[in-house]
Amino acid sequence: MPRDYGTTRSLRRVREPARLSYIGDDIHARPQWLAPRAAAAWARMRGAAEHDGVELLVASAFRSIEYQLGILRRKLERGQSIGQILAVSAAPGYSEHHSGRALDLSTPGFAPLEEEFERSAAFAWLCTNAQRYNFHLSFLRGNAHGIAYEPWHWCWHGKRAR
Ligand SMILES: [Zn+2]
Protein backbone atom coordinates (compact mmCIF):
# COMPACT_ATOMS: atom_id res chain seq x y z
CA MET A 1 0.00 0.00 0.00
CA PRO A 2 1.35 3.49 -0.84
CA ARG A 3 2.94 4.99 2.28
CA ASP A 4 1.42 8.45 1.64
CA TYR A 5 -2.07 6.97 1.06
CA GLY A 6 -3.83 8.87 3.88
CA THR A 7 -2.32 12.22 2.89
CA THR A 8 -2.83 12.01 -0.86
CA ARG A 9 -6.43 10.80 -0.47
CA SER A 10 -7.26 13.15 2.46
CA LEU A 11 -8.49 10.11 4.34
CA ARG A 12 -8.01 9.63 8.05
CA ARG A 13 -7.45 6.39 9.90
CA VAL A 14 -10.75 5.22 11.32
CA ARG A 15 -11.16 3.58 14.71
CA GLU A 16 -13.60 0.80 15.44
CA PRO A 17 -16.28 1.69 18.01
CA ALA A 18 -16.20 0.27 21.54
CA ARG A 19 -19.77 -0.95 21.25
CA LEU A 20 -22.02 -2.03 18.39
CA SER A 21 -25.80 -2.34 18.15
CA TYR A 22 -27.54 -4.96 16.04
CA ILE A 23 -29.63 -3.30 13.31
CA GLY A 24 -31.17 -6.38 11.68
CA ASP A 25 -30.08 -8.50 8.74
CA ASP A 26 -28.88 -7.17 5.40
CA ILE A 27 -30.15 -8.07 1.92
CA HIS A 28 -28.05 -11.26 2.07
CA ALA A 29 -29.50 -12.25 5.47
CA ARG A 30 -26.23 -11.46 7.27
CA PRO A 31 -26.53 -9.74 10.68
CA GLN A 32 -25.43 -6.09 10.59
CA TRP A 33 -24.22 -3.71 13.28
CA LEU A 34 -23.70 0.03 13.80
CA ALA A 35 -22.32 2.17 16.62
CA PRO A 36 -25.24 2.68 19.07
CA ARG A 37 -26.04 6.34 18.24
CA ALA A 38 -25.77 5.75 14.51
CA ALA A 39 -28.00 2.69 14.90
CA ALA A 40 -30.65 4.80 16.66
CA ALA A 41 -30.49 7.49 13.95
CA TRP A 42 -30.73 4.79 11.26
CA ALA A 43 -33.85 3.29 12.89
CA ARG A 44 -35.52 6.73 12.91
CA MET A 45 -34.52 7.44 9.31
CA ARG A 46 -35.66 4.04 8.02
CA GLY A 47 -38.99 4.48 9.82
CA ALA A 48 -39.51 7.95 8.32
CA ALA A 49 -38.71 6.63 4.83
CA GLU A 50 -41.16 3.76 5.30
CA HIS A 51 -43.80 6.26 6.37
CA ASP A 52 -43.20 8.05 3.04
CA GLY A 53 -43.51 4.77 1.12
CA VAL A 54 -39.77 4.32 0.56
CA GLU A 55 -38.09 1.04 1.50
CA LEU A 56 -34.46 1.37 2.56
CA LEU A 57 -32.47 -1.88 2.79
CA VAL A 58 -29.00 -2.44 4.22
CA ALA A 59 -26.35 -3.90 1.92
CA SER A 60 -23.52 -3.37 4.42
CA ALA A 61 -22.90 -1.54 7.70
CA PHE A 62 -20.03 -2.02 10.19
CA ARG A 63 -16.98 -3.75 8.70
CA SER A 64 -13.88 -4.43 10.79
CA ILE A 65 -10.37 -3.50 9.66
CA GLU A 66 -9.63 -7.24 9.56
CA TYR A 67 -12.60 -7.82 7.23
CA GLN A 68 -11.48 -5.03 4.87
CA LEU A 69 -8.00 -6.60 4.80
CA GLY A 70 -9.60 -9.88 3.71
CA ILE A 71 -11.40 -8.12 0.81
CA LEU A 72 -8.09 -6.56 -0.29
CA ARG A 73 -6.28 -9.92 -0.14
CA ARG A 74 -8.95 -11.68 -2.20
CA LYS A 75 -8.83 -8.96 -4.87
CA LEU A 76 -5.01 -9.17 -5.02
CA GLU A 77 -5.26 -12.95 -5.38
CA ARG A 78 -7.67 -12.47 -8.28
CA GLY A 79 -4.96 -10.43 -10.00
CA GLN A 80 -6.14 -6.85 -9.40
CA SER A 81 -3.45 -4.23 -8.80
CA ILE A 82 -3.33 -2.10 -5.62
CA GLY A 83 -4.16 0.94 -7.78
CA GLN A 84 -7.28 -0.70 -9.21
CA ILE A 85 -8.45 -1.85 -5.77
CA LEU A 86 -7.90 1.51 -4.06
CA ALA A 87 -9.82 3.31 -6.82
CA VAL A 88 -12.96 1.47 -5.69
CA SER A 89 -12.54 0.74 -1.99
CA ALA A 90 -10.80 2.48 0.89
CA ALA A 91 -7.64 0.87 2.24
CA PRO A 92 -7.97 -1.23 5.42
CA GLY A 93 -7.95 1.17 8.37
CA TYR A 94 -9.40 4.03 6.29
CA SER A 95 -12.94 2.88 5.53
CA GLU A 96 -15.83 4.77 7.13
CA HIS A 97 -17.40 1.34 7.62
CA HIS A 98 -14.86 0.66 10.42
CA SER A 99 -16.46 3.46 12.46
CA GLY A 100 -19.86 1.76 12.65
CA ARG A 101 -21.39 4.95 11.25
CA ALA A 102 -21.51 4.16 7.52
CA LEU A 103 -24.26 2.33 5.69
CA ASP A 104 -24.45 1.00 2.15
CA LEU A 105 -28.13 1.27 1.29
CA SER A 106 -30.23 -0.46 -1.30
CA THR A 107 -33.89 -0.56 -2.31
CA PRO A 108 -36.08 -3.17 -4.02
CA GLY A 109 -35.77 -3.24 -7.82
CA PHE A 110 -32.23 -1.87 -7.96
CA ALA A 111 -28.94 -3.77 -8.00
CA PRO A 112 -27.06 -3.18 -4.72
CA LEU A 113 -23.84 -1.16 -4.81
CA GLU A 114 -24.45 0.04 -8.36
CA GLU A 115 -24.68 3.61 -9.65
CA GLU A 116 -28.24 2.96 -10.84
CA PHE A 117 -29.28 3.46 -7.19
CA GLU A 118 -29.11 7.20 -7.91
CA ARG A 119 -32.19 6.83 -10.14
CA SER A 120 -34.28 5.27 -7.33
CA ALA A 121 -36.99 6.96 -5.30
CA ALA A 122 -34.97 5.88 -2.26
CA PHE A 123 -31.97 7.96 -3.37
CA ALA A 124 -34.18 11.00 -4.04
CA TRP A 125 -35.72 10.57 -0.59
CA LEU A 126 -32.27 10.36 1.03
CA CYS A 127 -31.02 13.47 -0.76
CA THR A 128 -33.96 15.43 0.66
CA ASN A 129 -34.25 13.87 4.12
CA ALA A 130 -31.08 12.09 5.26
CA GLN A 131 -29.44 15.22 6.66
CA ARG A 132 -32.30 15.56 9.18
CA TYR A 133 -30.95 12.31 10.68
CA ASN A 134 -27.32 13.43 10.31
CA PHE A 135 -26.62 11.03 7.45
CA HIS A 136 -24.58 12.41 4.55
CA LEU A 137 -23.40 11.10 1.20
CA SER A 138 -19.64 10.55 1.57
CA PHE A 139 -18.35 10.07 -1.95
CA LEU A 140 -19.79 12.50 -4.45
CA ARG A 141 -18.99 12.30 -8.14
CA GLY A 142 -15.36 13.39 -8.66
CA ASN A 143 -14.63 13.52 -4.90
CA ALA A 144 -11.21 14.61 -3.63
CA HIS A 145 -10.54 11.19 -2.07
CA GLY A 146 -10.17 9.53 -5.48
CA ILE A 147 -12.89 7.06 -4.51
CA ALA A 148 -15.55 6.10 -7.04
CA TYR A 149 -18.94 7.84 -6.80
CA GLU A 150 -21.06 5.89 -4.31
CA PRO A 151 -24.70 7.05 -4.23
CA TRP A 152 -25.46 4.15 -1.83
CA HIS A 153 -22.89 5.02 0.88
CA TRP A 154 -24.26 7.24 3.68
CA CYS A 155 -22.39 8.13 6.86
CA TRP A 156 -23.78 9.37 10.15
CA HIS A 157 -22.11 12.56 11.42
CA GLY A 158 -23.94 13.13 14.68
CA LYS A 159 -22.64 14.72 17.84
CA ARG A 160 -19.19 13.61 19.01
CA ALA A 161 -18.92 11.54 15.88
CA ARG A 162 -16.39 13.57 13.90
ZN1 LIG B 1 -19.86 1.95 1.80
Side-chain angles (χ1 to χ4, degrees), residues 28 30 51-52 55 59 65 76 94 96 101 105 110 112 123 128-129 136 140 146 150 152:
H28 305 293
R30 300 173 302 195
H51 184 262
D52 291 344
E55 193 177 352
I65 295 171
L76 284 172
Y94 293 88
E96 286 184 341
R101 287 182 266 125
L105 296 174
F110 289 81
F123 182 72
T128 308
N129 299 287
H136 297 272
L140 305 170
E150 293 190 354
W152 58 83

Side-chain angles (χ1 to χ4, degrees), residues 90-150:
Y94 293 88
S95 169
E96 286 184 341
H97 286 280
H98 303 327
S99 70
R101 287 182 266 125
L103 278 170
D104 291 337
L105 296 174
S106 184
T107 198
F110 289 81
L113 312 182
E114 295 289 344
E115 243 182 69
E116 66 178 49
F117 181 69
E118 73 175 350
R119 295 195 300 271
S120 68
F123 182 72
W125 188 92
L126 286 164
C127 289
T128 308
N129 299 287
Q131 59 187 6
R132 289 200 344 244
Y133 304 91
N134 291 318
F135 279 94
H136 297 272
L137 195 61
S138 297
F139 305 112
L140 305 170
R141 222 183 274 282
N143 64 78
H145 306 294
I147 289 179
Y149 172 54
E150 293 190 354

